[in-house]
Amino acid sequence: ALFMSELAAQVVAFEPFARVRAQLEQNLALNAIANVRVEPYGLAREAAVLPFYAAQESNLGASSFAQAHREDSTYVGQL
């Protein structure tokens, strides 16, 4: 989103994980980026509420809706 904000007039970012979304929003504010809208959703073929698994603190971007995605993930609830 930060990179694309320099290339596009408007950017829509989707981030279902609240901790990562807060960090993204903080980075947007720190960089005075106003052309990015952050939506609290994941994208899929159909609407659903799914279990979400957070990766370790060192790489929260590796979090996933797929439990088998990472062995060291932690269930954080339905998103």
Side-chain angles (χ1 to χ4, degrees):
L2 297 173
F3 174 77
M4 289 304 297
S5 71
E6 296 181 11
L7 302 175
Q10 291 291 316
V11 176
V12 180
F14 295 89
E15 180 51 65
F17 191 22
R19 291 175 58 201
V20 174
R21 187 173 57 254
Q23 185 175 16
L24 172 58
E25 290 169 337
Q26 181 180 19
N27 286 338
L28 293 169
L30 287 171
N31 289 283
I33 296 172
N35 67 329
V36 176
R37 184 176 85 227
V38 181
E39 295 290 341
Y41 308 108
L43 299 178
R45 286 181 287 190
E46 58 191 49
V49 176
L50 301 171
F52 191 78
Y53 302 90
Q56 291 188 0
E57 289 291 322
S58 61
N59 189 12
L60 289 175
S63 300
S64 175
F65 287 103
Q67 182 178 16
H69 178 70
R70 295 192 43 100
E71 291 179 5
D72 59 351
S73 63
T74 303
Y75 176 74
V76 294
Q78 300 279 325
L79 301 180

